[in-house]
Amino acid sequence: MGSFVELLYSQKEGSILLDKFSSKLNEYSYRAIQLVKSFGGVPVYAGGDDLLYFMPVSSRAGDNPFSGNTFTLIDELDLLFKKVVLTETSINNVIESNFNDANFRKPSISYGVSISYYKFPLNQALAEGNDLLFSEAKSGEKDVVAFSVLKAQRETIWYGLQ
């Protein structure tokens, strides 16, 4: 996003473009929160393209308008980002005019997903998702989903005579 913001700012009406882009990112955040909730998730943080939320791996609540899993939600969030942010006319014009530039990267969203057993320590699962996002998903190529599945740590129970 940083390089795209610089590109917008360098345009003739850069401050107007930045305002529109910021407004669209705000709208995306708001609508993404609603989408996460509809999948049974709990939003923790939403700011621009940055989202942090907890949700069940699979969502099939009775009154839930969506039925799917974590990866279904990721698909929906990607579609929402494209619909809300990238189709805004002036932003799309900047994307189109720079599309053939070898150094240009269209704005996209990457994900770090930590799927863990409900008894797994939350701070470790959160750290795993963060590590996946910054060491895997945002390194090199963009528009990536990096995920891991963390099993519960088993306790060994010893039975014996004393």
Side-chain angles (χ1 to χ4, degrees):
M1 288 292 171
S3 61
F4 188 69
V5 167
E6 286 178 25
L7 177 63
L8 289 176
Y9 189 70
S10 71
Q11 302 299 305
K12 183 177 180 182
E13 296 182 351
S15 61
I16 294 170
L17 288 171
L18 283 175
D19 284 346
K20 284 184 182 181
F21 188 62
S22 179
S23 173
K24 289 298 177 177
L25 283 175
N26 264 347
E27 180 183 344
Y28 169 74
S29 291
Y30 176 77
R31 292 177 63 181
I33 288 170
Q34 304 311 314
L35 191 58
V36 167
K37 286 180 178 179
S38 74
F39 269 80
V42 178
V44 176
Y45 175 82
D49 65 322
D50 294 323
L51 304 171
L52 173 62
Y53 56 89
F54 295 101
M55 70 169 284
V57 172
S58 182
S59 177
R60 287 178 174 61
D63 61 344
N64 184 352
F66 294 98
S67 184
N69 58 42
T70 301
F71 300 103
T72 308
L73 175 58
I74 287 172
D75 283 343
E76 293 293 325
L77 288 169
D78 272 348
L79 289 172
L80 182 64
F81 181 75
K82 290 172 185 167
K83 179 181 174 183
V84 171
V85 179
L86 300 185
T87 58
E88 202 296 315
T89 306
S90 56
I91 294 168
N92 191 42
N93 288 342
V94 172
I95 292 170
E96 293 291 324
S97 65
N98 288 280
F99 195 74
N100 291 326
D101 182 351
N103 296 323
F104 175 73
R105 286 194 173 167
K106 188 164 102 173
S108 63
I109 299 182
S110 295
Y111 300 86
V113 179
S114 174
I115 300 171
S116 60
Y117 184 63
Y118 76 102
K119 290 184 178 181
F120 195 86
L122 187 58
N123 65 331
Q124 291 178 25
L126 182 59
E128 176 71 12
N130 190 51
D131 288 346
L132 287 167
L133 177 62
F134 290 104
S135 67
E136 301 294 329
K138 286 191 172 187
S139 65
E141 292 298 314
K142 303 292 182 188
D143 201 16
V144 173
V145 176
F147 70 95
S148 69
V149 177
L150 305 170
K151 299 188 320 183
Q153 296 175 349
R154 297 181 185 194
E155 290 183 14
T156 304
I157 301 173
W158 293 94
Y159 294 97
L161 301 174
Q162 292 189 10

